[in-house]
């Protein structure tokens, strides 16, 4: 059937949770209207509560479906990654390439820009985390490749900048030559702090150059103190958007709740920071830079017992925002849909109207994803 009206569920649209509205799907495109405006005799499907929403917008995922972006950023690799995350409600994402050799870095930028140029479904840009980081907070990033930007990097950004306008570049601002952020910004407008020992003054300086956000708040950064609030204490005052891994492991549930109270749903972005194990249940262990890593519930733990990455999807992040942050469902959806959409300057992804029906999700009253609602 080419036309169907769906009613009986609340509808999340552009940051608001609406009641008394219906969704009309005709020829796979969506339209929002009051329930009272449904034509008499039109085909109607009754939904038993729950929420219809645009799908999630993921700004940091290192892989999925058995593919790590660093190992395969080809069209086939990127398609595998987004397909793995779609089954958990993600419909738009930034595949994330972390610190690696300069040649692989430039090739990944080219490949992701080409995917955007060719309008690959679900790929709206890339997240380039590193290699311009602080060795003191390197985490799992390979120290061999951590460096400062050079002219070939700026040339690469300029070459592909037209298709990187909704991308993120993460760096340690205190380690960059003066003016670096300003030079990158015309080509990649969203510049995040990450893997950094930046203090409050470093952030003020970087903000003046164009810093816009923070990658995985709390993780791989200087702690907050009374005399220097650092990134954690400065984010709200500086108006920075902050990605946060809502697994309750990378950040304690109390820390998640504190971030929500301090920043609110308008500035927090739920992220998974997930690896290739998402959507790949056959992978229970793998090698990462010569070290054995094991899947342990919602985390990855290496052979030495250290945290080695996240194993969580956006649906679980949404559920954890309600569970750990004590956020209401509207605010949780803001952090998973509309806030990342607005941060990336893609307001169309925050709205439910004029969307492909495959980009709309239905959450039942228990916040479980129902794939057969159509």
């Amino acid at each position: 059937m080419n036309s169907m009206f769906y009613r009986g569920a609340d509808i999340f649209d552009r940051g608001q949770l609406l009641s008394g509205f219906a969704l009309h799907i005709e020829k796979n495109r969506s339209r929002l209207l009051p329930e009272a405006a449904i034509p008499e005799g039109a085909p109607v499907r009754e939904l038993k509560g729950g929420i219809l929403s645009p799908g999630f917008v993921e700004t940091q995922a290192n892989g999925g479906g058995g593919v790590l972006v660093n190992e395969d950023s080809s069209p086939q690799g990127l398609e595998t990654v987004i397909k793995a995350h779609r089954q958990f409600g993600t419909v738009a994402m930034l595949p994330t390439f972390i610190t690696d050799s300069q040649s692989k870095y430039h090739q990944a930028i080219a490949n992701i820009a080409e995917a955007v140029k060719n309008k690959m479904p679900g790929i709206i840009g890339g997240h380039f985390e590193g290699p311009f980081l602080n060795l003191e907070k390197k985490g799992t990033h390979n120290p061999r490749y951590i460096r400062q930007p050079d002219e070939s990097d700026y040339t690469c950004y300029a070459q592909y900048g037209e298709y990187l306008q909704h991308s993120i570049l993460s760096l340690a601002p205190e380690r960059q030559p003066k003016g670096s952020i300003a030079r990158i910004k015309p080509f990649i407008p969203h510049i995040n702090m990450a893997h950094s020992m930046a203090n409050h003054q470093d952030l003020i300086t970087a903000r003046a150059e164009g810093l816009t956000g923070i990658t995985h708040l709390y993780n791989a950064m200087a702690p907050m103190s009374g005399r220097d609030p650092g990134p954690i204490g400065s984010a709200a005052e500086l108006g920075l958007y902050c990605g946060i891994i809502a697994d309750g492991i990378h950040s304690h549930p109390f820390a998640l709740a504190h971030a929500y109270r301090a920043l609110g749903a308008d500035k927090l972005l739920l992220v998974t920071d997930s690896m290739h194990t998402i959507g790949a249940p056959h992978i229970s262990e793998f090698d990462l830079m010569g070290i054995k890593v094991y899947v342990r519930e919602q985390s990855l733990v290496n052979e030495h017992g250290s945290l080695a990455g996240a194993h969580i999807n956006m649906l679980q992040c949404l559920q954890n925002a309600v569970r750990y942050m004590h956020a209401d469902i509207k605010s949780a959806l803001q952090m998973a849909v509309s806030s990342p959409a607005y941060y990336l300057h893609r307001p169309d992804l925050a709205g439910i109207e004029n969307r492909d029906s495959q980009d709309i999700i239905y959450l039942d009253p228990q916040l479980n994803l129902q794939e057969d609602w159509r």
Side-chain angles (χ1 to χ4, degrees):
M1 184 175 291
N2 288 328
S3 177
M4 179 66 71
F5 291 84
Y6 298 88
R7 69 182 178 194
D10 289 339
I11 296 178
F12 183 75
D13 179 58
R14 299 184 184 278
Q16 300 300 317
L17 196 58
L18 308 175
S19 298
F21 280 77
L23 193 69
H24 181 207
I25 303 292
E26 184 171 26
K27 296 181 180 178
N28 290 326
R29 304 303 294 182
S30 60
R31 179 171 67 97
L32 188 64
L33 73 162
E35 287 185 351
I38 297 175
E40 186 176 350
V44 175
R45 181 168 294 176
E46 298 285 352
L47 300 174
K48 298 179 180 179
I51 299 170
L52 287 167
S53 171
F56 306 132
V57 181
E58 163 74 283
T59 61
Q60 188 180 5
N62 305 291
V67 171
L68 272 173
V69 178
N70 273 60
E71 294 180 357
D72 186 1
S73 60
S74 69
Q76 295 77 16
L78 296 177
E79 286 174 355
T80 298
V81 172
I82 183 61
K83 183 179 179 181
H85 285 266
R86 283 192 75 100
Q87 63 186 299
F88 304 108
T90 296
V91 302
M93 72 181 306
L94 304 183
T96 302
F97 185 91
I98 69 169
T99 301
D100 213 318
S101 69
Q102 189 173 57
S103 60
K104 287 183 68 176
Y105 178 60
H106 290 176
Q107 187 61 58
I109 290 172
N111 288 351
I112 290 171
E114 188 69 15
V116 174
K117 178 181 179 180
N118 293 333
K119 296 180 170 57
M120 181 182 291
I123 304 299
I124 59 173
H127 185 153
F128 308 104
E129 185 184 352
F132 317 133
L133 308 177
N134 190 321
L135 279 168
E136 192 172 342
K137 288 290 184 181
K138 64 181 178 60
T140 59
H141 290 247
N142 191 332
R144 175 184 176 188
Y145 297 119
I146 290 177
R147 58 184 178 84
Q148 292 180 333
D150 64 22
E151 289 303 318
S152 68
D153 296 311
Y154 296 123
T155 298
C156 182
Y157 303 146
Q159 181 176 355
Y160 299 106
E162 180 181 355
Y163 303 105
L164 301 175
Q165 293 300 299
H166 310 295
S167 297
I168 294 174
L169 188 145
S170 290
L171 48 68
E174 78 281 7
R175 299 295 299 162
Q176 310 314 312
K178 183 178 179 180
S180 296
I181 292 174
R183 286 192 67 181
I184 296 168
K185 195 170 177 65
F187 312 112
I188 304 179
H190 314 290
I191 310 293
N192 283 12
M193 187 218 81
H195 293 272
S196 166
M197 285 298 293
N199 60 31
H200 178 65
Q201 187 56 52
D202 292 328
L203 288 167
I204 290 175
T205 301
R207 185 72 178 88
E209 273 198 35
L211 187 79
T212 51
I214 294 177
T215 293
H216 46 51
L217 186 70
Y218 294 122
N219 299 116
M221 62 188 63
M224 179 179 177
S225 71
R227 294 187 177 181
D228 192 327
I232 298 167
S234 302
E237 291 301 316
L238 294 177
L240 301 175
Y241 283 83
C242 296
I244 193 163
I245 308 168
D247 59 1
I249 300 167
H250 281 76
S251 297
H252 189 279
F254 278 23
L256 293 174
H258 172 266
Y260 175 61
R261 288 195 300 272
L263 289 159
D266 290 339
K267 294 295 185 180
L268 273 184
L269 319 176
L270 300 181
V271 302
T272 67
D273 199 17
S274 54
M275 303 286 273
H276 60 306
T277 52
I278 292 298
H282 61 286
I283 300 177
S284 60
E285 60 181 65
F286 59 93
D287 287 328
L288 182 65
M289 293 185 288
I291 298 174
K292 188 72 73 178
V293 176
Y294 303 93
V295 177
R296 295 288 185 266
E297 296 182 352
Q298 293 184 2
S299 67
L300 302 174
V301 179
N302 69 22
E303 61 190 56
H304 305 299
S306 299
L307 199 61
H311 181 68
I312 190 170
N313 58 61
M314 282 293 286
L315 179 62
Q316 291 170 313
C317 285
L318 179 83
Q319 295 164 343
N320 285 345
V322 175
R323 177 185 178 190
Y324 296 141
M325 296 180 182
H326 311 297
D328 58 86
I329 184 55
K330 178 180 80 74
S331 297
L333 283 168
Q334 281 182 269
M335 293 184 279
V337 180
S338 55
S339 292
Y342 291 136
Y343 179 44
L344 297 177
H345 299 160
R346 285 293 306 268
D348 55 304
L349 296 174
I352 203 167
E353 290 203 89
N354 196 30
R355 299 290 294 273
D356 189 301
S357 63
Q358 298 299 314
D359 285 348
I360 297 171
I361 60 175
Y362 174 51
L363 302 168
D364 69 18
Q366 290 72 47
L367 300 186
N368 296 311
L369 193 64
Q370 301 297 313
E371 296 183 359
D372 60 352
W373 66 275
R374 299 175 190 84

